[in-house]
Amino acid sequence: MFYLVIGKKFLKGYKMTGVNEIRKTFLDYFAKNDHKIVPSSSLVPDNDPTLMFANSGMVQFKNILAGNETRDYTRAATAQKSVRAGGKHNDLDSVGYDVRHHTFFEMLGNFSFGDYFKEHAIYYAWEVLTKEFGLPKEKLAVTIYHTDDEAHDIWKKVSGLPEDRIIRIATKDNFWQMGDTGPCGPCSEIFYDHGPEVWGGLPGTPEEDGDRFIEIWNLVFDQYEDLPDGSRINLKRPSIDTGMGLERIAAILQGVHSNFETDTFQNLIKAIADIASTDPNGPLQASHNVIADHLRAISFLIADGVLPSNEGRGYVLRRIMRRAMRHAYLLGVKEPMIYKLLPALQKEMGEAYPELIARENLIKETIQIEEERFGRTLDKGLKLLDEAVENLPSGQKLGGETAFKLYDTYGFPLDLTQDALKNKNIEVDVEGFDACMAKQKAEARKNWAGSGDAGVEKVWYEIQDQCGATEFLGYSTLKADGEIKALIQDGKSVDQVTQGRFELVSNQTPFYGECGGQVGDVGEIKSADFSAKVIDCKRKLDNIFVHVCEMVDGKAQVGHFANFAVDGDRRAQICANHSVTHLAHKALKMVLGDHVAQKGSLVEADRMRFDIMHPKQITPQELRQVEEIVNAQIRNDLNVSTVIMNKDEAVKLGAMALFDEKYGDDVRMVTMGDENCPFSRELCGGTHVKATGRIGYFHILSESSVAAGVRRLECVTGQSADRYVQAVENKLHAVADSLKTNINDLENRINGLLEERKKLENEILNLKRSMAGGQTSAQNETESVNGVSFVGKLIPDVHPKELKSFIDDILHNLGSGVVVLCSDKDGKASVVVGVSKDLTAKYNAVEMVRTAAGVLGGQGGGGRPDMAQAGGTDVSKINDAIAAIKKMIV
């Protein structure tokens, strides 16, 4: 027997105090009992569209419990990150003001999927609590569902608890259901007795709402299944799902009544007090508690990919952050401080959750930027709030217009205003706030309706108004469940679709909607009721993601749930092509100059098109330089990181912003390379590789002009670049085979052939010249026209430039006369007229050639009086053209 001293308490027989040790003891126990220790899933559930955040250990196993998924284990144990701060599970308003509520908490749990059932589950729970944790038996009580005699008998056998400590409860508190249909079953909850000095009673008694008996562990026995027809049957493979709050059991084992007095929280609170120079146990104790709690939620949410925004999960995070910032302000800290607390949190929880270490820069930068941004309006907003309530009569609410002004102008979420007024016992006119919000939306709709798109797009504004924005999950997952919020077919909203092409809007999706030059994702959407192929994903009104679908079979219905799966291979290729635009943009600036600016892009799976501002053609040497720079950064495998921040602040950090792009107040900044000295930093909402090495290889296919001062590059990466190189190599092999040589000697072979061709062409040219202008030829083809020597003839397939030299040869042999030579090369008529110097005063070569051009269907012609050239389209009239010139000799 031994005693553990904590504060002023002596807890007989307790074996541990540290939260980390408690977590480890729990997991080690179940590992010894053949359980797979499964890491915590992300706080963003991709398998449950009804949840904003993971709020229990069961969430990641929901599909297994429902029979829709199998894994290579049937026993599992976890320490699950959980958040209750949004949606139907929201403890935000209570955090900091009582001893047990948190936005972020850890849920310890053990699970059986068709393996052991009630007897083992109860035995394991009892042994963990009484032997591993050393809790006295007389301090424990349990509840069971009122008809669960089996659980009663097992508890009696395993624990030996008296009847008055095995309490039958007839309410839904002791019967769990996944939903209207699916697995369900009775529960058994374990309670800890804090002693008679704390007011409260056992569950089921009038005093049950007191704090004396606190629930510490819930055992769910999934043994039934609710069917759509309302009937309930036995599950073929009964399962176990349990959950114990780590913070609650830690408080018990450390002999404290408040979770905020446990070691993890005390160390965080000490770090807060050190920075703020405050007394953590003074009148502002609640503010210290709020900041400590919110620091955990903020850091873990950011680490799991949630970033502050004005929609969905991002807005919940922003509310938590700004609530913490207001409490820091109450402590007298006017400069950003919460980001400085991350090292303290890493020290407490970084070993168990290494993502706090791996994503340190993202977490710190995101918090600091949000603190700096809100800090600029917080002081003014609080002064406005103080002025508004200073003369407010007792019992009167703060006006909704004032609350909305705080929201719209100063960035105060409604619950932050409510929290600020809590200690003054002043409520907010929520109806008035909602009316102001509705008025603003109506005004936005009016402005939008006048934009010119109303006739075509009215349905999308109605959907936005009814359903809100779509939450995009695709930065962190390619599969997720979602609720169908709207179906559109033939331009109209419908309740269901059974065939053909249609458009589907959900509450959340992993599908990227076409935007910023990046094409939309493709894939499939399935449920038990239907299967559809997603052939594109568009974005309407900026924040509605529209899945363009073709029905495969079944019936899709509004309000039903489905699984959304993106084509992962295609997305990976798109990511590579998008990331390489950032590398190429920087490389082009390095090679061509800082004047280079992106004027457009197209990012597809098999290629990338990039338009830049540049006044002249990019030389082959410059293109090779760009390729070399980009491929060097690909080989360097630069880390690619993302953070949400204010646009102006991002630009100050060196982020490139596109001139023609429209940005909101919050932007997504993508950095490639070291955070302090990155290779590339741009504002971009697209999807990217995690590291540049995944791009593989970059090649520029072509460079061309698309407008004055705008050059276009067509490029490939990865598999497309491999295919291109392979195709070129195949062609080289084919050419080499045709020339009876190998690739290494191909250049010499071709140069040899070109030399040989050049010699042959010269021989042919000389032969034609000989045929056209030799002395014998000239004598044989010369005729006298009105006393003037005249030669007129067609020389087939000769370039017009060569005709001039032929005329010089003929005139040299003639001495005096007029010579007309024509050619039909490439199907076009050409005519050249030469007049000897002694005749130019009487016969003008330019006038003669223009006459010939008219006959040949051409216009004009030009040259000198002794030599002129023209052309035409009608080669059949060449003899007529020669005759027309002959008639001019009089």
Side-chain angles (χ1 to χ4, degrees), residues 527-543:
S527 75
D529 302 320
F530 79 99
S531 173
K533 181 180 179 182
V534 180
I535 59 175
D536 197 3
C537 187
K538 304 286 188 181
R539 202 175 300 197
K540 300 291 186 181
L541 305 179
D542 293 332
N543 57 14

Side-chain angles (χ1 to χ4, degrees), residues 445 448-449 453-464 491 541:
R445 180 189 300 182
W448 172 85
D453 295 331
V456 178
E457 303 286 355
K458 182 179 179 181
V459 64
W460 300 117
Y461 199 89
E462 293 172 348
I463 288 172
Q464 184 188 57
L541 305 179

Side-chain angles (χ1 to χ4, degrees), residues 696-817:
Y697 174 68
F698 169 70
H699 182 74
I700 300 173
L701 297 177
S702 65
E703 187 269 356
S704 61
S705 173
V706 291
V710 179
R711 310 300 300 184
R712 170 167 293 175
L713 302 182
E714 298 276 358
C715 314
V716 287
T717 65
Q719 294 179 13
S720 294
D722 289 343
R723 286 192 293 269
Y724 172 78
V725 171
Q726 187 63 54
V728 171
E729 189 171 334
N730 290 341
K731 290 178 182 178
L732 288 174
H733 279 292
V735 172
D737 290 343
S738 297
L739 299 179
K740 309 299 182 184
T741 187
N742 57 59
I743 289 180
N744 293 331
D745 292 332
L746 187 58
E747 185 177 4
N748 291 333
R749 178 69 171 134
I750 291 174
N751 286 335
L753 290 172
L754 291 175
E755 285 293 326
E756 186 176 343
R757 176 180 173 175
K758 187 175 181 180
K759 291 178 182 179
L760 293 173
E761 287 175 344
N762 287 334
E763 291 178 5
I764 292 171
L765 181 60
N766 291 332
L767 180 60
K768 289 180 177 179
R769 176 181 284 112
S770 175
M771 294 173 61
Q775 185 173 3
T776 304
S777 175
Q779 292 175 348
N780 294 337
E781 297 175 349
T782 301
E783 57 182 304
S784 178
V785 180
N786 294 323
V788 177
S789 296
F790 176 80
V791 176
K793 62 189 297 186
L794 166 66
I795 303 178
D797 198 31
V798 173
H799 196 280
K801 291 181 180 179
E802 296 171 355
L803 294 178
K804 292 182 179 181
S805 64
F806 293 175
I807 286 178
D808 288 337
D809 292 342
I810 295 172
L811 285 174
H812 176 74
N813 292 327
L814 286 179
S816 176

Side-chain angles (χ1 to χ4, degrees), residues 78 122 184 242 303 311 327 353 365 423 450 452 506 525 541 552 608 633 664 666 680 725 730 829 836 852 885:
T78 65
I122 291 173
C184 60
T242 83
E311 299 286 351
H327 281 279
Y353 298 101
E365 288 180 11
N423 290 334
S506 56
I525 301 175
L541 305 179
V552 177
M608 179 272 281
Q633 299 309 319
D666 293 321
S680 167
V725 171
N730 290 341
S836 60
I885 293 175

